[in-house]
Amino acid sequence: MKTKITVLIALLLLSISATAQIDRSVQPKPGPAPAITLEVPGEFKLRNGLKVLVVENHKLPRVSYSLTIDNQPQVEGDVAGVSGILGAMLGNGTTSISKDSFNEEIDFLGARLGFGSSGAFGASLTKYSERILELMADAAMNPLLTEEEFQKEKEKAIEGLKSNEKSVDAVASRVGGALSYGKKHPYGEFITEASLNNITLDNVRAFYQKNFNPNNAYLVVVGDVDFKTVEKQVKKYFKKWDEGIDITRNIPQPYKNVNATEINFIDMPNAVQSNISITSNVKLKMGDPDYHAVLIANKILGGGFNSYLNMNLREANGYTYGARSSVGSNRYGASRFTAGAQVRNTVTDSAVVESLKEIKRIKTEKVSAEDLKNAKAKYVGDFVLALEQPQTIARYALNIKLNNLPKDFYKTYLSKINAVTADDVQRIANTYFTEQNARVIVVGKGSEVIANLEKTGLPIKYFDKYATATEKPELEVVLPEGVNVKSVINKYFDAIGGKTKIDKIQSLIIKYEGTAMGSTILSEEKRIDGKIAQNVFMNGAPMMSIVATKEDAFMKRGGAKNPLPGTMGKDLSKIAGLFVEDYILNEPTAKITGTEKIEDKEAYKIEIPGETVTYVMFYDVETGLKVKEVQTINMNGQSQVQSAILKDYKEYEGIKFPETKVGSQMGQTVISKLKQVTINSGVSASDFE
């Protein structure tokens, strides 16, 4: 013990001595850019055209294989989506190994092996690497393309489209590509349910035969290997891969940029945030002299946390959780500059104006020496850190081949990054970043967004969710005569049992139980007039409680009691009580914003705005029952949405409650079942303390 104490004291004295020699008031000077030494790959080529690059790295007993088939981009036309279905089917067994046996062996080896429509990736410990290579080759050359698997993957693809029908991000991505490149360009084409339904197994097999061959294929091997062994193994397993027919395609030119900046608006009434994307087409290749300067200019504009866009939209104004920009490079001359963010509906117009202002700023004001230095330092740090990954080495080796780059491209990479000047940044911004000929693609809720966007002075063109030009959407809600918030709420009260029975309720206990992430989640609500306590239990253990009364709102966890942040408590206190409908009935800001189909049935949509929390309730037009509830929390530029479908109503002491709630948690669908309803019993004042 005495020895240990002596050692600790000695170490402490050494640390104090070392600290005393450092002047903390002076910022340390950055050291020189690290020298980049990338292993030059060994190369060989099979007779069938497969080119192999081998990078030896003996630091860890691991090997990775990256197979890339370098086909030109192509339009899939009436069978758009066929490549995706092929990619999903590849790697699920071979003509000699069943799907289950194939996947079980990979799991048993602790390895990874995945396929796409234009390649594959595998990784394992060195001692299993030959077997993984053999399985990769077998799956590439002898895929198990069965009708059963085809139908499964086709159904999954269709379900994926349906699930994204109301996704603002999915629509923004689809429309952005179509408006920028054109629907008949490989980068602007999109998949529809109709195109998926056109696809047959014969289409998939034909696509495979035509496109999945070794003619233009590269296999990059990185890890604990030696060149001669790899050469022997690759020849053994891939030599029977038949060479296909070389195909040269005419790639159409992307659309030209618009003559003047315009807003392209897509109305999505369900949107709780707007997706903003300021975009224009650029021509940039990795081998261009401007390439490294573009990377730094973008880093300054929107490529990191301290960028112009993020510091304005997030830090200064709190419009968003993060604002970013990017500039793509493409050897076929089709790429885009994009700057954007997801913002609250109410600040959509302001976010557009501020984003355009920051793009103009980097073009007209020379970047400060400090910002330039920081951008370079961050880029260099990220670059060096990425070199620790074998996949990075493989990608760099392949980039040199695919883009016809000089062999020392990455060895001189950082010196070229550090050579970028403030003049370079300004020149690059004026060449590649535009706020004068840009499309400002906005996907959002028209009823809350369009009026303010019109005030920006920018012309607005309207498109549907599939990039087809449309007229300005009808934003005024036309309701049947006599339908208003009060009539809808009163019909709900009648549907669940009638106001006379409801008025006799003094207290409620409602418990729902579901499973999420392998755990049992019990949600308990205790309600009396003007008060609500929500308690959550995981596997029987209490996790947290939220209590709201008309005067106060707070969270309890682990014995600690804390007020809810911002105005969240104020918004929650509004709805504290036996039924939220009691509040809605007398709330002047509550309004019907239209109807929406919930599980194929029309429902009235009532919104109750708040400073932090917005509530949306849906009531079946026919039955009057509440069929969905949505809660959106807007805080620090970020929106969090919680929603639940309500169904299978059952009567308890004359009052109906939904037996089933279908919601989501951490990206998982959670189905909760009603376990208990207790009326006028079991609730005490201590439940709300």
Side-chain angles (χ1 to χ4, degrees):
M1 177 63 73
K2 181 178 179 181
T3 302
K4 290 182 180 179
I5 294 173
T6 304
V7 171
L8 287 172
I9 293 173
L11 289 173
L12 177 61
L13 291 173
L14 281 172
S15 66
I16 293 172
S17 175
T19 303
Q21 297 175 33
I22 299 174
D23 186 351
R24 297 291 182 184
S25 65
V26 179
Q27 183 174 345
K29 293 182 179 180
I36 301 301
T37 55
L38 294 178
E39 189 75 29
V40 177
E43 298 182 35
F44 64 93
K45 182 178 178 180
L46 271 58
R47 291 180 180 178
N48 57 18
L50 176 64
K51 292 165 277 292
V52 184
L53 309 178
V54 184
V55 180
E56 296 188 31
N57 185 329
H58 302 287
K59 291 181 180 179
L60 293 172
R62 298 195 63 84
V63 182
S64 71
Y65 301 97
S66 299
L67 176 66
T68 300
I69 300 177
D70 182 35
N71 293 324
Q72 287 179 297
Q74 62 179 299
V75 175
E76 296 177 10
D78 292 340
V79 291
V82 64
S83 61
I85 291 179
L86 171 64
M89 293 177 70
L90 290 173
N92 282 321
T94 75
T95 53
S96 60
I97 307 175
S98 70
K99 175 182 176 179
D100 289 342
S101 296
F102 188 89
N103 291 329
E104 285 171 5
E105 181 172 3
I106 293 169
D107 289 342
F108 178 76
L109 298 177
R112 286 185 292 156
L113 182 56
F115 276 78
S117 62
S118 59
F121 176 81
S124 74
L125 293 173
T126 304
K127 60 182 177 179
Y128 303 129
S129 59
E130 182 175 0
R131 179 55 177 162
I132 291 301
L133 182 66
E134 183 181 9
L135 290 172
M136 176 187 280
D138 193 13
M141 294 185 292
N142 308 298
L144 191 61
L145 304 178
T146 65
E147 182 68 33
E148 181 183 5
E149 284 299 310
F150 166 71
Q151 291 298 338
K152 285 181 182 178
E153 296 303 335
K154 184 175 177 177
E155 288 172 11
K156 284 182 187 177
I158 291 173
E159 284 304 311
L161 276 185
K162 289 180 178 179
S163 67
N164 280 331
E165 183 68 20
K166 294 184 179 180
S167 168
V168 173
D169 294 344
V171 170
S173 175
R174 177 169 62 226
V175 175
L179 293 181
S180 296
Y181 298 116
K183 296 179 183 179
K184 294 185 178 180
H185 189 280
Y187 301 153
E189 181 183 49
F190 50 78
I191 301 168
T192 65
E193 188 171 346
S195 71
L196 288 174
N197 280 321
N198 287 336
I199 301 170
T200 66
L201 180 58
D202 286 341
N203 295 137
V204 175
R205 288 172 172 165
F207 190 93
Y208 167 80
Q209 291 293 338
K210 187 176 181 180
N211 297 281
F212 208 93
N213 53 58
N215 302 35
N216 302 307
Y218 292 83
L219 178 64
V220 183
V221 185
V222 181
D224 185 25
V225 295
D226 68 83
F227 181 86
K228 289 184 178 180
T229 301
V230 170
E231 185 176 22
K232 180 180 177 181
Q233 292 172 349
V234 171
K235 287 180 178 179
K236 177 181 178 181
Y237 298 120
F238 282 94
K239 67 180 180 180
K240 293 183 180 179
W241 195 3
D242 293 332
E243 184 177 357
I245 300 172
D246 282 324
I247 300 172
T248 301
R249 299 183 175 94
N250 292 320
I251 303 172
Q253 289 297 311
Y255 283 169
K256 292 182 179 180
N257 290 328
V258 292
N259 293 325
T261 300
E262 64 183 38
I263 295 174
N264 297 161
F265 188 82
I266 299 89
D267 183 33
M268 291 192 68
N270 65 292
V272 296
Q273 292 188 106
S274 294
N275 184 302
I276 299 171
S277 178
I278 300 171
T279 186
S280 56
N281 293 344
V282 299
K283 290 184 178 181
L284 177 69
K285 299 180 180 180
M286 291 188 71
D288 289 348
D290 286 341
Y291 179 72
H292 298 85
V294 170
L295 298 178
I296 292 302
N298 181 69
K299 196 77 170 176
I300 294 166
L301 174 65
F305 185 85
N306 293 316
S307 65
Y308 287 2
L309 287 170
N310 201 56
M311 296 305 288
N312 181 327
L313 271 64
R314 172 186 163 128
E315 295 301 295
N317 288 301
Y319 295 158
T320 180
Y321 188 67
R324 294 289 184 266
S325 69
S326 63
V327 184
S329 61
N330 181 273
R331 58 192 167 123
Y332 300 107
S335 54
R336 294 163 63 191
F337 159 71
T338 301
Q342 294 177 327
V343 303
R344 304 191 311 277
N345 291 338
T346 54
V347 299
T348 301
D349 56 312
S350 300
V352 169
V353 171
E354 291 300 315
S355 297
L356 291 170
K357 185 180 81 174
E358 293 301 339
I359 298 171
K360 184 176 181 180
R361 173 188 169 198
I362 198 172
K363 294 170 67 175
T364 56
E365 296 179 13
K366 195 168 290 188
V367 63
S368 71
E370 184 72 12
D371 284 345
L372 179 60
K373 183 183 72 173
N374 290 340
K376 290 180 181 179
K378 183 67 170 66
Y379 196 93
V380 168
D382 292 342
F383 183 89
V384 173
L385 189 63
L387 290 175
E388 296 295 322
Q389 301 297 321
Q391 292 89 338
T392 302
I393 305 298
R395 186 173 70 252
Y396 288 174
L398 190 57
N399 277 344
I400 290 173
K401 289 290 184 182
L402 297 183
N403 295 280
N404 196 27
L405 302 173
K407 290 185 178 181
D408 66 348
F409 180 80
Y410 286 105
K411 290 183 179 179
T412 62
Y413 199 93
L414 294 187
S415 63
K416 290 178 179 177
I417 288 291
N418 283 316
V420 175
T421 66
D423 288 333
D424 290 331
V425 170
Q426 191 170 27
R427 175 180 59 81
I428 289 300
N430 279 280
T431 303
Y432 295 93
F433 306 163
T434 178
E435 91 292 355
Q436 294 176 326
N437 303 93
R439 294 180 182 274
V440 183
I441 300 174
V442 180
V443 183
K445 186 176 182 177
S447 60
E448 295 184 3
V449 169
I450 290 177
N452 286 330
L453 283 176
E454 289 174 336
K455 297 175 184 178
T456 65
L458 295 171
I460 303 177
K461 294 181 180 179
Y462 298 93
F463 296 86
D464 67 13
K465 294 187 286 187
Y466 291 91
T468 299
T470 64
E471 297 297 320
K472 180 179 177 180
E474 281 288 340
L475 302 178
E476 291 188 11
V477 179
V478 180
L479 298 172
E481 186 176 352
V483 173
N484 52 44
V485 170
K486 288 188 177 181
S487 71
V488 171
I489 296 304
N490 284 327
K491 186 174 182 179
Y492 164 75
F493 282 140
D494 289 341
I496 65 172
K499 203 70 170 71
T500 302
K501 292 180 181 177
I502 291 170
D503 288 343
K504 294 179 181 179
I505 298 176
Q506 302 298 315
S507 68
L508 275 174
I509 300 176
I510 307 171
K511 295 182 181 181
Y512 283 91
E513 186 176 87
T515 302
M517 298 166 287
S519 299
T520 299
I521 309 295
L522 177 68
S523 174
E524 174 192 69
E525 289 187 359
K526 292 187 175 183
R527 295 173 174 267
I528 61 173
D529 185 33
K531 296 181 181 182
I532 179 174
Q534 298 174 319
N535 307 307
V536 179
F537 301 83
M538 181 177 288
N539 296 328
M543 295 298 294
M544 58 174 281
S545 299
I546 294 179
V547 177
T549 68
K550 294 301 182 184
E551 298 78 29
D552 193 16
F554 52 87
M555 177 188 292
K556 295 193 297 184
R557 178 181 286 175
K561 178 177 171 181
N562 297 299
L564 296 175
T567 59
M568 187 186 297
K570 177 181 175 183
D571 290 334
L572 187 59
S573 292
K574 291 178 183 178
I575 65 166
L578 288 163
F579 294 90
V580 66
E581 284 72 20
D582 285 323
Y583 166 71
I584 297 174
L585 198 60
N586 300 294
E587 174 52 43
T589 64
K591 59 182 179 180
I592 299 179
T593 58
T595 61
E596 194 171 310
K597 282 194 173 181
I598 307 297
E599 296 197 329
D600 295 326
K601 290 188 177 182
E602 210 69 32
Y604 290 119
K605 181 179 180 182
I606 297 181
E607 292 191 14
I608 310 98
E611 294 180 51
T612 299
V613 186
T614 296
Y615 301 95
V616 184
M617 307 294 173
F618 297 83
Y619 299 88
D620 189 289
V621 169
E622 183 180 348
T623 67
L625 293 171
K626 181 162 59 178
V627 289
K628 185 178 179 180
E629 52 190 13
V630 181
Q631 176 180 287
T632 304
I633 301 171
N634 293 303
M635 187 173 294
N636 299 324
Q638 187 180 17
S639 291
Q640 182 182 17
V641 181
Q642 296 177 337
S643 65
I645 301 288
L646 313 176
K647 54 187 179 181
D648 305 330
Y649 276 78
K650 184 178 178 181
E651 196 172 289
Y652 291 80
E653 297 186 32
I655 304 296
K656 291 180 180 179
F657 296 88
E659 283 274 289
T660 305
K661 284 188 177 184
V662 183
S664 63
Q665 187 166 336
M666 303 292 287
Q668 281 191 334
T669 297
V670 180
I671 300 175
S672 299
K673 292 293 186 179
L674 185 60
K675 303 296 291 184
Q676 176 185 332
V677 174
T678 303
I679 298 176
N680 295 337
S681 176
V683 181
S684 66
S686 62
D687 292 319
F688 308 98
E689 296 176 352

